[in-house]
Amino acid sequence: MTFLDKIKPHLTSNDFLIQETVLHTIHDYPFFPEDWTKHLIEDAFKNNETQDAILIYIDHQPINEDAVNVLIESIPTMDKSNAHLAIRLFDNVEPDLALKYRVQLEKYLPKDRWNLYELLINGTEEEVYTEYGETLASLEHVDSFQHTLYIKAKMLAARIVRNGWITENEISSVILEEMNEDWFSLNRIMNVYMLGLMKLEKYIPTLASLLERDDDILLEEVSAALIGFQSDKVVEAIAPYLKRSESLIYAASIVENIKTDLAVAVLRDAYLHVVELEDQDLIFEALCHQLSEAALPEISSHMEKEEFSSLIDIEQTAYGYFSILNLSHPELGSWRNQALEREMYYRKTSNKESFIFTPPVRNDEKIGRNDPCPCGSGKKYKKCCGN
């Protein structure tokens, strides 16, 4: 049974703890079916209890025309405090599709976005490259990271790759120029993104070596590029980095999202070699999200520990794993109760503070490693303030 076969029956589970586990497993997974994304969006608007979780965890998935229509029909009816979570999904709509629904989407997207869409579809090579260069220059000169500008640069870079306006040699030479430097420029980081789009396996070792860097923006692009290969060659290249605390967070995320037997075996081996509790918890989480019974010995053994780090919802992760795989365990009910108790505490606290915070932000007591960081960086907590 494939990974997708295992999660399909639980995609819109009535048990929100199980559904949240599914959402965690697919957040960075690149081959999630588009029609499933549409079903999740529909479920989000039917069930306020899980609405924010669904909208948060599908933000990496492509949005097709059916899903666009669901969003257009449903956003006006939703609680305004959650509307931004649904609106940002329009960033994942292809330019030609967005232009088709321009009249309906204009109220949700900034005015300059439409000029960008027109440029991406009809612009010449020179026009696209000029805008790309100006965008990178703007990013380099701002005092703080501008997520909107960065997404614009990626959209332009993707069009450059798809139109064949840049070669493999041009990209690799740009990256190799800074391999010995302490800092990667945004131009080089964008070339890592473009290299990932090209899916050139011979660069897997080069990309893996970048996991030793201390640059979250670079590491996010390296991770996405390597996950996109869905190859055991990536697993082999990443294996050594799973045993090093300084590279473990991103290494575990990469291998967690490559659904192969070798990925499970490498995670199991790494679990036996790491010493720090947080490192063990992180690999435990990656093993659970693989949804493989082969990892049962390590997962069961881990749950016998007397303490865990505070950054992972251990009981919910274990409960989701055993429930999705239909495995029995004498502590299953206890794990569910503990997970529910924490969730209810979070919701109660969140409701009390809602008059202060407009966007829903996870209380520190409930921030999971895979949750968006409360600092607003756009990154997962485990790759930002939880690092």
Side-chain angles (χ1 to χ4, degrees), residues 329-341:
H329 193 284
E331 297 296 323
L332 199 62
S334 175
W335 296 339
R336 185 176 192 276
N337 289 337
Q338 291 178 69
L340 280 172
E341 184 178 347

Side-chain angles (χ1 to χ4, degrees), residues 5-18:
D5 289 335
K6 293 172 185 175
I7 66 171
K8 186 176 181 179
H10 308 282
L11 200 61
T12 55
S13 173
N14 291 327
D15 187 332
F16 70 86
L17 294 175
I18 294 176

Side-chain angles (χ1 to χ4, degrees), residues 18 112 127 155 219 221 253-255 369 371 378:
I18 294 176
D112 59 356
E127 289 170 336
M155 293 173 72
L219 292 172
E221 296 303 339
S253 177
I254 293 166
V255 180
R369 280 183 175 270
D371 286 339

Side-chain angles (χ1 to χ4, degrees), residues 52 80-85 346 350 353-354 356-362:
D52 60 340
K80 291 182 179 180
S81 66
N82 272 358
H84 67 289
L85 297 176
Y346 150 67
S350 179
E353 297 176 352
S354 62
I356 300 175
F357 300 100
T358 300
V361 176
R362 294 273 180 176

Side-chain angles (χ1 to χ4, degrees), residues 98-109:
L99 286 168
K100 180 178 178 180
Y101 287 89
R102 179 169 181 168
V103 173
Q104 296 92 329
L105 299 184
E106 276 189 319
K107 68 178 77 172
Y108 301 123
L109 298 177

Side-chain angles (χ1 to χ4, degrees), residues 251-278:
S253 177
I254 293 166
V255 180
E256 170 187 327
N257 285 285
I258 298 176
K259 310 300 183 179
T260 67
D261 292 341
L262 180 62
V264 175
V266 165
L267 286 169
R268 294 180 69 192
D269 179 65
Y271 179 83
L272 298 175
H273 284 83
V274 297
V275 176
E276 297 296 329
L277 180 61
E278 286 192 6

Side-chain angles (χ1 to χ4, degrees), residues 227-288:
I227 290 170
F229 284 104
Q230 287 295 296
S231 166
D232 277 341
K233 292 182 179 180
V234 172
V235 177
E236 293 167 356
I238 298 300
Y241 299 97
L242 287 169
K243 299 174 184 178
R244 306 172 190 171
S245 291
E246 61 272 16
S247 56
L248 176 58
I249 288 177
Y250 285 92
S253 177
I254 293 166
V255 180
E256 170 187 327
N257 285 285
I258 298 176
K259 310 300 183 179
T260 67
D261 292 341
L262 180 62
V264 175
V266 165
L267 286 169
R268 294 180 69 192
D269 179 65
Y271 179 83
L272 298 175
H273 284 83
V274 297
V275 176
E276 297 296 329
L277 180 61
E278 286 192 6
D279 293 348
Q280 292 174 344
D281 282 354
L282 184 58
I283 296 178
F284 161 84
E285 181 185 50
L287 281 169
C288 285

